[in-house]
Amino acid sequence: MLAAVDHVQLAAPPGSEPALRAYYADVLGMTEIPKPPVLAARGGCWFQAGAVQLHLGIEDDFRPAEKAHPGLRVTEIEAYAARLEQLGAPVTWDDDLPGHLRFYSEDPVGNRLEFLERISPSGRGT
């Protein structure tokens, strides 16, 4: 029986680790976590914020997915979006999901990320 999502893995091209570290740690505010040595030899990097883990694995023939993406819950979404924009990350708002504020962004290699916050009937985040 499934109990929870342990992590989400995204792909990245060889040599992109410095840009990924700058984005996921410095822009998104995640913490890099160590990979086991046997996996670290393959390249890539792993990040965590609270219970959320994102793993970036190296793929030689990398192409970012056009629609596939992790959906990441955030608090104070307007301030979070402003932080991303201030640090140079694209922010595209989307109001098509009832009961939520949400936007999309992309990491430095083109992976799509969705950020969302549930809103109460008054329109404020919960």
Side-chain angles (χ1 to χ4, degrees), residues 48-108:
Q48 184 166 355
V52 175
Q53 280 193 24
L54 292 177
H55 296 180
L56 283 292
I58 299 305
E59 189 172 285
D60 288 331
D61 191 24
F62 170 76
R63 283 190 346 253
E66 293 182 27
K67 295 292 269 180
H69 61 272
L72 304 169
R73 290 211 179 270
V74 297
T75 58
E76 301 179 13
I77 194 166
E78 293 96 346
Y80 195 71
R83 169 192 164 90
L84 268 62
E85 287 182 310
Q86 181 180 24
L87 294 171
V91 170
T92 304
W93 287 94
D94 181 330
D95 60 1
D96 291 338
L97 184 60
H100 293 81
L101 294 175
R102 74 174 177 170
F103 67 88
Y104 292 95
S105 190
E106 289 184 357
D107 73 9

Side-chain angles (χ1 to χ4, degrees), residues 4-83:
V5 173
D6 183 77
H7 68 274
V8 172
Q9 177 152 326
L10 301 172
S16 62
E17 291 92 344
L20 296 171
R21 287 183 174 100
Y23 179 79
Y24 285 92
D26 300 339
V27 176
L28 297 189
M30 300 182 83
T31 301
E32 186 170 2
I33 56 176
K35 293 178 69 173
V38 69
L39 298 177
R42 300 177 189 171
C45 35
W46 293 0
F47 300 92
Q48 184 166 355
V52 175
Q53 280 193 24
L54 292 177
H55 296 180
L56 283 292
I58 299 305
E59 189 172 285
D60 288 331
D61 191 24
F62 170 76
R63 283 190 346 253
E66 293 182 27
K67 295 292 269 180
H69 61 272
L72 304 169
R73 290 211 179 270
V74 297
T75 58
E76 301 179 13
I77 194 166
E78 293 96 346
Y80 195 71
R83 169 192 164 90

